Amino acid sequence: MNLLFGRTISLQLRLTVAVVLSVLLILGDRYTSGGTLVRTSLNTLVSPLLYVANVPYEVFSLGAKSLDTRDRLFQENEALRKKQLLQSEQLQQYQFLLRENQQLRALLGASSRQQRARLIAEVLSVRSSRYSHQVVVNRGAIDGVLEGQPVIDEMGIVGQLTQVGSTTSRVLLMTDTTHATPVRILRNDVRTVVEGTGKINLVQLQHVPHSLDIRLGDILVTSGLGGTFPEGYPVAVVTEIDRDEGLPFSKVYAEPVAQLDRIRLLVILGKVASKEPDA
Amino acid sequence: MNRSYALVALSLFIALIMALMPLPFSIEPFRPDWVLLVLMYWSIALPHRVNIGWAWCTGLIMDLATGSPLGVNSLTYSICLYITTSNFQKIRNFSIWQQAVLIGLFLALYHLLQFWLNHFLLDIYFNPRYLWPALVGMLCWPWVFLLLRKYRRHFRIR
């Protein structure tokens, strides 16, 4: 039988080295923002792993797609056509309003709104740490995305990009406990902040005074403060208000507008203006 | 020698894929930690080859792949593998179900350590659901053990 560690380093020393290295890594990762380059390259290393782990899901969905019936496809096609017709009608109005808005802003001498670059990303079906809310998307540094870019789906705000690798990156969902979104109430423009609770369908409004004018069903949209999220995207709908006078602040809960548990296609909004609006 | 390291790495790679694979939402909380089970098997079977160094590196890959704060899995894997490697002769002598119970205890330790670290780093609160994977991992151990023993004997990994 082999003499265990007879000639090499003892097990205790190995453990000590491992613990020290891990603690340094944890502290470095949590409390410094440096080493982004290191992170990007490390994330790039595991990207292939994520793509391989996504394969079973892709195979299943491909199988499901090819088994779809002709009738169902026809129906879906018809429904989408109708939806597109309605939306393109609204879009005609939108172009007109956009131009009018620009002219009015020019008359007022206000700065014009800038069009943001958009990039469609697909969610890779891989598991993430059970203690935080994140998803992996198939876009990375080679697509030109940067850390901190806002991510939306067809309903509203989803979250923002953290950890960018070269071909994959992570989206921190707005329901994560470490995420906060600056919002205002659509009805009366009161500003507040929405924080994640760690539950996929619940967010919380922090530090809401009892006198604040907020009602059930109020729609919260991004306020544009803080610089991460552009103004005016829907975030959540208020679902529960507890005005307990014994507590310093009211407890207000809201439900995210985006369906965070079933996102598949996302839009990454560009940080910088790519071009002037073409209308 | 190099061949046996490659084969161990292959089994870990498969475990990583199984750990990252998407599962239906309803059974996701019960997914055992395949990577740690495989690591613990190798540390009992080949303690002079697979021990804390492997655990640390695999843990780092796991951290990167699941997006948890870097170093959390490295630390917890290293501690678990320290326990199994330093007691490999005792663990080998137990019957397979006794081993399973022991492994279940180690898994519970791993999940509690992980929760505790994440509690400091991410402000999460304890939920008894977090311990389901330890129980499921315990029930999976005999099958993992038998499968990997067959794998080890077939390829004569020493």
Side-chain angles (χ1 to χ4, degrees), chain A residues 217-271:
Chain A
D218 270 349
I219 295 168
L220 306 171
V221 298
T222 46
S223 66
L225 297 177
T228 299
F229 294 103
E231 194 183 344
Y233 284 96
V235 176
V237 177
V238 176
T239 52
E240 189 190 334
I241 302 174
D242 180 9
R243 292 189 199 274
D244 184 354
E245 296 287 341
L247 296 172
F249 295 106
S250 306
K251 280 185 189 159
V252 182
Y253 295 98
E255 192 184 340
V257 174
Q259 299 205 305
L260 296 176
D261 50 350
R262 57 189 72 167
I263 39 183
R264 187 74 194 151
L265 281 175
L266 298 172
V267 179
I268 301 174
L269 296 177
K271 259 236 179 287

Side-chain angles (χ1 to χ4, degrees), chain A residues 171-183:
Chain A
V171 179
L172 186 69
L173 301 185
M174 54 172 282
T175 49
D176 188 87
T177 47
T178 57
H179 194 273
T181 321
V183 296

